């Protein structure tokens, strides 16, 4: 992508793909800078707005990310990709009520296994254990037990940061199985 940029500088396609590579490498600030350059030429590109929002989430700038995601939701209603981004970002930002609102929209359609898992997290943090367990079971049946456990365990630090006590996890596993 750097070679491509030399041949045709500031090309949006190159900027966006370079930014994706930088995100994968964990260079989120540099990725954001590239996406903001691309935005100058394509401010109405909704996919670009989602990418910028994702970078802002990586940088833990949740309020700014939510602004981007809500813009996409406003301009393109009934767009599950925006709902998914809003739901997860709102969860990370501690806005569990907003997170649940958007996960419920996703759950009414064709939810993915990750939608069910993440919605379960939102309900778990919100204290609705029964609903969380139901969603975790649905996710587990869609993913399979091993993948579900791996995905759930990746999110345990996030759940702990949201107030879930370590001793609650074994109890939750008993309820899921």
């Amino acid at each position: 992508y750097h070679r491509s940029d030399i041949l045709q500088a500031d090309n949006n396609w190159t900027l966006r793909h370079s930014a994706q590579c930088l995100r994968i490498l964990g260079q989120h600030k540099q990725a954001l800078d590239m996406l903001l350059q691309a935005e100058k030429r394509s401010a109405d590109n909704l996919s670009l707005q989602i990418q910028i929002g994702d970078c802002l989430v990586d940088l833990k700038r949740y309020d700014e990310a939510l602004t981007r995601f809500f813009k996409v939701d406003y301009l393109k209603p009934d767009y599950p990709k925006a709902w998914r981004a809003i739901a997860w970002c709102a969860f990370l930002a501690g806005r569990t009520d907003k997170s649940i609102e958007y996960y419920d929209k996703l759950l009414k359609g064709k939810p993915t296994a990750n939608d069910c898992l993440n919605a379960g997290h939102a309900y778990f943090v919100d204290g609705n254990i029964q609903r969380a367990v139901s969603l975790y079971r649905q996710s587990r049946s869609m993913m399979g037990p091993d993948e579900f456990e791996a995905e759930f365990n990746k999110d345990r630090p996030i759940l702990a940061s949201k107030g879930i006590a370590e001793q609650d996890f074994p109890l939750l596993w008993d309820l899921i199985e």
Side-chain angles (χ1 to χ4, degrees):
Y1 294 119
H2 289 300
R3 285 183 181 170
S4 177
D5 193 47
I6 291 168
L7 295 173
Q8 188 175 5
D10 296 329
N11 176 287
N12 274 9
W13 187 92
T14 305
L15 288 169
R16 291 179 68 180
H17 285 81
S18 294
Q20 280 300 106
C21 291
L22 289 168
R23 279 188 71 209
I24 290 167
L25 295 171
Q27 297 175 18
H28 306 294
K29 176 68 176 106
Q30 294 89 334
L32 179 60
D33 291 341
M34 285 191 159
L35 292 172
L36 291 174
Q37 282 179 17
E39 182 186 33
K40 290 176 185 172
R41 290 178 229 33
S42 300
D44 293 335
N45 184 315
L46 300 183
S47 175
L48 180 58
Q49 293 299 314
I50 294 277
Q51 279 185 284
I52 292 170
D54 288 341
C55 265
L56 291 166
V57 168
D58 293 339
L59 293 165
K60 298 180 177 22
R61 293 165 53 182
Y62 303 126
D63 290 337
E64 292 174 71
L66 281 170
T67 299
R68 299 289 179 151
F69 298 144
F70 282 129
K71 176 183 178 180
V72 174
D73 186 41
Y74 177 78
L75 294 172
K76 189 173 182 180
D78 298 324
Y79 186 43
K81 189 170 185 172
W83 297 349
R84 201 167 276 118
I86 291 168
W88 184 246
C89 185
F91 177 72
L92 293 174
R95 297 178 59 189
T96 310
D97 57 332
K98 188 59 71 177
S99 177
I100 288 171
E101 175 187 336
Y102 276 85
Y103 277 124
D104 283 348
K105 289 171 90 167
L106 286 164
L107 295 171
K108 287 178 186 169
K110 295 180 182 175
T112 66
N114 279 322
D115 292 336
C116 295
L117 173 71
N118 294 335
H121 293 340
Y123 277 102
F124 189 27
V125 168
D126 196 48
N128 189 338
I129 307 303
Q130 186 175 9
R131 181 72 172 133
V133 167
S134 172
L135 288 163
Y136 287 145
R137 285 179 180 158
Q138 187 177 351
S139 177
R140 186 175 187 248
S141 73
M142 294 166 84
M143 283 187 196
D146 294 338
E147 184 180 350
F148 173 79
E149 185 174 355
E151 290 297 313
F152 185 94
N153 285 333
K154 279 196 277 186
D155 293 340
R156 278 176 75 149
I158 295 168
L159 292 169
S161 76
K162 302 290 176 209
I164 302 298
E166 191 61 38
Q167 65 264 21
D168 290 340
F169 291 115
L171 299 170
L172 179 67
W173 281 115
D174 288 345
L175 292 172
I176 293 171
E177 294 179 350

